[in-house]
Amino acid sequence: MSKTANTALLARFIAIVGERNVLTDPADIAPHLEETRGLFHGDSPLVLKPGSAEEVSAIMKLATETGTVIVPQGGNTGHVGGQIPHDGAIVLSMARMNRIRDVDPAGGTITVESGVILQRLQEAANEAGLMFPLSLASEGTCQIGGNLSTNAGGTAVLAYGNTRQLCLGLEVVLPTGEIWNGLRRLKKDNTGYDLRDLFIGAEGTLGVITAAVMKLSPRPKSIQTVLAGVVDPDAALKLFRLAENTCGPALTGFEIMPRISLEFVLRHIEGARDPFDDAHPWYVLFEISSGQSEEAARGLMESLFEAANENGLIRDAVASETEAQRQSLWLLRESISASQKPEGGSIKHDVSVPVAKVPEFLEKADKAVRERIPGIRVVSFGHLGDGNIHYNLSQPVGADKAQYIARWREMNEIVHGIVLEMGGSISAEHGIGQLKRDELAAIRQPIEIELMRRIKMAFDPAGIMNLDKVVKV
Amino acid sequence: MSKTANTALLARFIAIVGERNVLTDPADIAPHLEETRGLFHGDSPLVLKPGSAEEVSAIMKLATETGTVIVPQGGNTGHVGGQIPHDGAIVLSMARMNRIRDVDPAGGTITVESGVILQRLQEAANEAGLMFPLSLASEGTCQIGGNLSTNAGGTAVLAYGNTRQLCLGLEVVLPTGEIWNGLRRLKKDNTGYDLRDLFIGAEGTLGVITAAVMKLSPRPKSIQTVLAGVVDPDAALKLFRLAENTCGPALTGFEIMPRISLEFVLRHIEGARDPFDDAHPWYVLFEISSGQSEEAARGLMESLFEAANENGLIRDAVASETEAQRQSLWLLRESISASQKPEGGSIKHDVSVPVAKVPEFLEKADKAVRERIPGIRVVSFGHLGDGNIHYNLSQPVGADKAQYIARWREMNEIVHGIVLEMGGSISAEHGIGQLKRDELAAIRQPIEIELMRRIKMAFDPAGIMNLDKVVKV
């Protein structure tokens, strides 16, 4: 923000929410300025914690009137710097807007404010006898408003879709302060341009999501969770196809991970254990859910095993018998990022390619990055069923961390080059934020970026809403 | 269009596609000016039939340069007049852009031009051993470009979603003539504003969809199709809940229809027959699909019957044993609109309410319309599982058709008033077009219409792209 807010102006913002609901001490503000990976360090004189859409509206009106940049922030778990303020912008923390406004089990919907933590939303769905399927490693911290603003993915996308597919309606405060009430609960509604999907994934640059109607699903009667050792990504893909054909929509998750990720997790994560006697080059973790019975889910699993064995696709497999066993299998997958930290620097990618091309992508990318940095450790894991790989690169053993991390863009260029050749995406589920904004502009058709700019200017004529994230105006 | 195109200008448009690919004779143009219900009568001096996105681009550039309004048209099956030109606008028929560019069975995608007829797309999917689930009564005539532009629904939405959910990528020619290549094939791609979903459902007012990547699904191994007689919509809703809980995602269709619709169909549609000995007040037609086996689908059906009988929800039921029987059950549902024609005037609604409120809506609406027009015949049928009812009102026996149809808006007001009170939509799957544009502006928050206007102006600054449909600028 070129116009750094002065004390008198800050006081006007503070008056809207009250002194109890702001942070002005740099020590209190600090946690709102750093994201988890440490890639971006922000600065801001003020964190506002509004308690209602009306307060957000008053803030946005004042911001538009005075040209003050506002950066909305949920649980601050984003990976691309979209939530980090710069140049004295004001942080709009949604943490106090954490009410569950309504649960409608008959209608299969829940209406929540955007500051509700994902895990609490999952719990509220459970209490109503239903399920909110969105599931992420950061679910204990991230907020549904952030999930919506980044169209978060996670491990249940295969069957239930991204956050976009789980949302029926939104309440949004526009940069100009108007409150759009789009809190609809309808499965079908073809009445004009799809504003809802425009706000979803806009990373807080077009407005502030203050509430949402989310879809709930029936809770499966039984979930069979299986960890299988396979020889390579090609076998994993073949197993995925077989599982899709055998189980149809009952296949509710299909993750892939390499041996090295299991080694990292076993080395660094408390309680992690290898369920197999032998090491396997690759692992898949998949789930089969039945709305009918445990017998039905087991039946599908056994049919799948039979077909997989006929084709020699599985080296070994273990199915969870209890919820505790299920959790211990998922621990091996959900702890991968955390287990990379003690291994030194990690250069990360969140890419997708057409599902059928995942093995080819892995082969090409592995070759290219190993040529560039001998000894680099490829920790490529993720949502095989969605074609989405977290292509994380741990530094060679003994390398200098800072020197290694300084090669982030260089390695991105190699990996993203391969992704783009294969018709893939450089951001499958994390978004653009600050990290990938200029790269996106460089790889996309100029008209696409131009349309995004025009939309941004149509919604935020004063240029105050999370300015210069996603697209530069 | 205020500036009616003169002969010299028309010649410039004709030169782009060649004389063989235009219609200029009023008799040839006539079928492009009338929609199926006869509510709108258009006028146009010219129908252009481009054969490529490049030709569409040249047309749009000339249109923007000369301020000539262009109206894209698919199979001309739309119900809200979105495809009908007025005031001398030029029709852009997509009929020649009917190539299937690519079928990718491994990736589960098909890339088609927008003029491909829906049924042909379904057949191409079948030939590849997969399924394209979108299914509509007009599938033999409508085009995928029109389906996308109106976000068409149909009978498979419950499990597979609207057209929006079936689309991965688009190629769009903008009003200014640029070609946006968004033909992506990715399940996950969070890279900026969701342009794809903005074009989907925009009814050709933001650009011309020229091609699309559509998702294909595995073909179920078995589909069990059941027609059941029930006592009232409340019993139908309870049966739907039971089916959802019993079958989960294997429940792939759930339609409702009243006795009178069956009577109309039996009276007027060749080959239709009542599979029951007794008359029932209401019917539901549902499908259970299994990716596994016929045995599995039957197992689910039997579990459902058992539970339904315990609760006394079904009066009688018949399940199809063969594909011919399946078709004959669907005939009873798909022919309802056609069977209404010989019964005189029909005032139609395409509304949705939260699924749980369908019985309440039907009760309130029936009471209100019968009070206003005694003897009116309520033919309310549709997609119960989506909360979407085609609330069609056939004229009283012996009434004057023209006088009855003249009360269209009056009856809309009554029915839509009840729908809106219940948080519903006045257009669940047909769109806005001309028919509901002013009504939409009247019922929505001014800021919502204003945002739509701003988007329209950002994409179509010259105001030439299907002008004044959906939103008036």
Side-chain angles (χ1 to χ4, degrees):
Chain A
M1 183 170 70
S2 48
K3 313 162 196 166
T4 298
N6 59 36
T7 312
L9 179 55
L10 293 181
R12 291 175 70 189
F13 280 107
I14 292 168
I16 293 170
V17 295
E19 294 206 357
R20 297 175 44 176
N21 300 313
V22 305
L23 304 177
T24 52
D25 185 322
D28 296 333
I29 293 173
H32 294 270
L33 306 180
E34 304 287 325
E35 41 78 55
T36 44
R37 290 180 181 168
L39 285 178
F40 298 99
H41 309 280
D43 71 276
S44 172
L46 180 63
V47 175
L48 295 170
K49 299 187 178 180
S52 67
E54 289 68 27
E55 287 183 4
V56 176
S57 166
I59 291 166
M60 296 316 304
K61 272 188 191 131
L62 181 57
T64 280
E65 182 194 321
T66 57
T68 311
V69 174
I70 302 289
V71 178
Q73 193 176 89
N76 193 14
T77 61
H79 284 332
V80 290
Q83 75 281 23
I84 301 299
H86 294 285
D87 304 322
I90 291 174
V91 174
L92 189 74
S93 163
M94 303 309 287
R96 282 183 63 233
M97 289 197 63
N98 62 356
R99 280 172 291 260
I100 291 176
R101 290 191 188 166
D102 180 68
V103 186
D104 175 9
T109 66
I110 187 166
T111 306
V112 293
E113 291 183 345
S114 54
V116 170
I117 287 171
L118 174 54
Q119 193 173 305
R120 189 150 159 256
L121 204 168
Q122 295 166 343
E123 288 163 4
N126 275 335
E127 284 159 21
L130 292 164
M131 175 178 67
F132 184 65
L134 185 67
S135 180
L136 314 173
S138 62
E139 62 198 23
T141 312
C142 65
Q143 297 172 7
I144 189 65
N147 300 146
L148 285 160
S149 290
T150 57
N151 185 28
T155 55
V157 172
L158 185 63
Y160 301 98
N162 292 291
T163 308
R164 185 184 298 291
Q165 277 82 40
L166 302 174
C167 179
L168 292 172
L170 291 179
E171 177 187 271
V172 179
V173 178
L174 297 169
T176 43
E178 292 101 336
I179 304 173
W180 174 54
N181 181 351
L183 287 175
R184 293 159 200 158
R185 302 180 179 204
L186 303 170
K187 292 191 180 179
K188 288 166 87 173
D189 177 28
N190 277 348
T191 49
Y193 304 153
D194 185 4
L195 299 178
R196 180 188 65 200
D197 282 314
L198 200 49
F199 289 115
I200 295 173
E203 303 184 36
T205 63
L206 299 180
V208 184
I209 295 174
T210 48
V213 180
M214 306 303 294
K215 272 193 266 191
L216 302 178
S217 298
R219 211 153 50 184
K221 295 258 191 342
S222 168
I223 302 177
Q224 298 295 316
T225 304
V226 178
L227 183 73
V230 297
V231 67
D232 59 19
D234 201 51
L237 179 65
K238 285 186 180 128
L239 185 60
F240 170 64
R241 292 296 182 208
L242 205 57
E244 248 192 340
N245 284 329
T246 308
C247 307
L251 184 69
T252 51
F254 203 98
E255 304 284 309
I256 185 171
M257 46 201 187
R259 174 67 195 173
I260 192 174
S261 78
L262 189 62
E263 284 169 4
F264 281 13
V265 169
L266 295 172
R267 195 178 300 155
H268 302 293
I269 304 297
E270 208 185 301
R273 63 167 217 87
D274 186 344
F276 300 116
D277 295 330
D278 299 321
H280 302 289
W282 288 83
Y283 299 87
V284 295
L285 180 61
F286 62 90
E287 291 202 326
I288 297 168
S289 303
S290 171
Q292 198 192 9
S293 65
E294 185 165 338
E295 200 188 2
R298 280 189 184 279
L300 288 173
M301 183 176 69
E302 279 153 24
S303 303
L304 176 58
F305 279 157
E306 205 172 300
N309 287 334
E310 272 173 32
N311 295 283
L313 290 177
I314 293 182
R315 288 163 56 110
D316 201 354
V318 55
S320 66
E321 301 278 338
T322 64
E323 179 60 24
Q325 284 175 13
R326 181 176 175 236
Q327 294 302 333
S328 77
L329 293 181
W330 273 104
L331 183 71
L332 305 177
R333 164 64 185 84
E334 294 285 19
S335 313
I336 297 175
S337 285
S339 77
Q340 281 193 273
K341 285 202 177 158
E343 294 287 338
S346 170
I347 296 173
K348 296 178 192 288
H349 305 83
D350 165 41
V351 301
S352 68
V353 293
V355 178
K357 293 190 176 175
V358 170
E360 183 190 341
F361 161 71
L362 290 171
E363 197 186 325
K364 285 186 176 164
D366 287 7
K367 187 165 178 290
V369 301
R370 288 185 173 129
E371 266 172 22
R372 186 66 60 97
I373 303 185
I376 197 168
R377 293 172 296 166
V378 179
V379 187
S380 50
F381 63 97
H383 320 295
L384 177 60
D386 310 320
N388 176 194
I389 299 295
H390 297 297
Y391 194 77
N392 289 359
L393 300 170
S394 279
Q395 65 176 55
V397 174
D400 178 84
K401 182 175 171 181
Q403 277 178 15
Y404 177 75
I405 288 292
R407 301 181 77 172
W408 189 291
R409 297 269 175 194
E410 178 193 346
M411 301 313 285
N412 281 181
E413 209 169 291
I414 295 173
V415 174
H416 290 169
I418 295 166
V419 164
L420 293 172
E421 262 173 34
M422 301 177 77
S425 171
I426 63 165
S427 189
E429 59 177 13
H430 294 164
I432 298 301
Q434 304 175 51
L435 183 65
K436 300 180 183 174
R437 185 197 64 188
D438 294 341
E439 190 177 358
L440 185 70
I443 63 170
R444 283 286 160 81
Q445 274 182 286
I447 183 64
E448 180 166 332
I449 303 298
E450 170 62 21
L451 287 176
M452 285 171 52
R453 264 196 209 107
R454 286 191 217 158
I455 291 170
K456 169 69 177 170
M457 290 187 289
F459 279 65
D460 179 20
I464 50 94
M465 187 84 256
N466 209 6
L467 190 67
D468 287 344
K469 310 288 173 61
V470 184
V471 65
K472 198 165 164 58
V473 287
Chain B
M1 185 168 73
S2 48
K3 313 164 196 168
T4 299
N6 59 35
T7 312
L9 179 55
L10 293 181
R12 291 176 69 190
F13 280 107
I14 292 169
I16 294 170
V17 296
E19 292 206 357
R20 296 173 44 175
N21 300 314
V22 306
L23 303 176
T24 51
D25 185 320
D28 296 333
I29 293 174
H32 294 270
L33 306 180
E34 304 286 326
E35 40 78 56
T36 43
R37 290 179 182 169
L39 285 177
F40 298 99
H41 309 279
D43 71 276
S44 171
L46 179 64
V47 175
L48 295 169
K49 298 186 179 181
S52 68
E54 289 69 28
E55 286 184 4
V56 175
S57 167
I59 291 167
M60 295 317 303
K61 271 188 192 129
L62 181 57
T64 280
E65 181 195 322
T66 57
T68 311
V69 174
I70 302 289
V71 178
Q73 193 176 88
N76 193 12
T77 61
H79 283 333
V80 291
Q83 75 279 24
I84 301 299
H86 295 285
D87 303 322
I90 291 174
V91 174
L92 189 74
S93 164
M94 303 308 288
R96 283 182 63 233
M97 289 197 63
N98 62 356
R99 281 173 292 259
I100 292 176
R101 290 190 188 166
D102 180 67
V103 186
D104 176 8
T109 65
I110 187 166
T111 306
V112 293
E113 291 182 346
S114 55
V116 169
I117 287 171
L118 174 53
Q119 193 173 305
R120 185 147 163 260
L121 204 168
Q122 296 166 340
E123 288 163 3
N126 275 335
E127 284 158 22
L130 292 164
M131 174 179 68
F132 184 65
L134 185 66
S135 180
L136 313 173
S138 62
E139 62 198 23
T141 313
C142 65
Q143 297 173 7
I144 189 65
N147 300 146
L148 284 160
S149 291
T150 57
N151 184 28
T155 55
V157 172
L158 185 62
Y160 300 97
N162 292 291
T163 308
R164 183 184 301 289
Q165 278 82 39
L166 302 173
C167 179
L168 292 172
L170 290 179
E171 176 187 89
V172 178
V173 178
L174 296 169
T176 43
E178 292 102 335
I179 302 174
W180 175 54
N181 182 350
L183 287 175
R184 294 163 199 155
R185 301 180 181 206
L186 303 169
K187 292 192 180 180
K188 288 165 88 172
D189 178 28
N190 278 348
T191 50
Y193 303 152
D194 185 5
L195 299 178
R196 179 188 66 202
D197 282 315
L198 200 49
F199 289 116
I200 295 174
E203 304 183 37
T205 63
L206 299 180
V208 184
I209 296 173
T210 49
V213 180
M214 307 302 295
K215 271 192 267 190
L216 302 179
S217 298
R219 213 154 46 184
K221 296 257 190 347
S222 168
I223 301 176
Q224 297 295 316
T225 305
V226 178
L227 183 73
V230 297
V231 66
D232 59 20
D234 200 52
L237 179 65
K238 285 188 178 127
L239 184 60
F240 171 64
R241 292 297 182 206
L242 206 57
E244 246 191 341
N245 284 329
T246 308
C247 308
L251 183 69
T252 50
F254 203 99
E255 303 283 309
I256 186 172
M257 45 201 187
R259 175 67 196 173
I260 192 173
S261 78
L262 189 62
E263 284 169 6
F264 281 13
V265 169
L266 295 172
R267 195 178 299 158
H268 301 295
I269 305 296
E270 208 184 302
R273 64 166 214 86
D274 187 344
F276 299 118
D277 293 331
D278 299 320
H280 301 291
W282 288 83
Y283 299 87
V284 295
L285 180 60
F286 62 91
E287 290 202 326
I288 297 169
S289 302
S290 171
Q292 199 192 9
S293 64
E294 184 164 338
E295 200 187 2
R298 280 189 185 279
L300 288 173
M301 183 175 69
E302 278 152 26
S303 302
L304 176 58
F305 279 157
E306 206 172 297
N309 286 335
E310 272 173 31
N311 295 281
L313 289 177
I314 293 182
R315 289 165 55 113
D316 201 354
V318 55
S320 66
E321 300 279 336
T322 64
E323 180 59 25
Q325 283 175 12
R326 181 175 175 237
Q327 294 302 333
S328 77
L329 293 181
W330 273 105
L331 183 71
L332 305 178
R333 163 66 185 82
E334 293 287 18
S335 314
I336 297 175
S337 285
S339 76
Q340 280 192 276
K341 284 204 178 157
E343 294 287 338
S346 171
I347 295 173
K348 295 178 193 290
H349 304 83
D350 164 40
V351 301
S352 67
V353 293
V355 178
K357 292 190 177 175
V358 169
E360 183 190 342
F361 161 71
L362 289 172
E363 196 186 324
K364 284 187 176 165
D366 287 8
K367 187 165 177 288
V369 301
R370 287 184 173 132
E371 265 172 21
R372 186 65 62 98
I373 304 186
I376 198 167
R377 292 173 297 167
V378 179
V379 186
S380 50
F381 64 97
H383 320 296
L384 177 61
D386 310 319
N388 177 195
I389 300 296
H390 297 299
Y391 194 78
N392 289 358
L393 301 169
S394 278
Q395 66 176 53
V397 175
D400 178 85
K401 183 176 171 180
Q403 277 178 12
Y404 176 76
I405 288 293
R407 301 182 75 172
W408 189 290
R409 297 271 175 192
E410 177 193 347
M411 300 314 284
N412 281 182
E413 208 169 293
I414 295 172
V415 174
H416 290 169
I418 295 165
V419 164
L420 293 171
E421 261 172 35
M422 301 176 78
S425 170
I426 63 166
S427 188
E429 60 177 12
H430 293 165
I432 298 300
Q434 305 175 51
L435 184 64
K436 298 180 184 175
R437 186 197 65 190
D438 295 340
E439 190 177 357
L440 185 70
I443 63 168
R444 284 286 161 81
Q445 274 183 284
I447 184 63
E448 180 167 333
I449 303 298
E450 171 61 20
L451 288 176
M452 286 171 52
R453 266 196 207 106
R454 287 191 216 157
I455 292 170
K456 169 69 177 170
M457 290 188 288
F459 280 64
D460 179 21
I464 50 92
M465 187 85 255
N466 209 5
L467 190 67
D468 288 343
K469 311 286 172 62
V470 184
V471 64
K472 196 165 165 59
V473 288

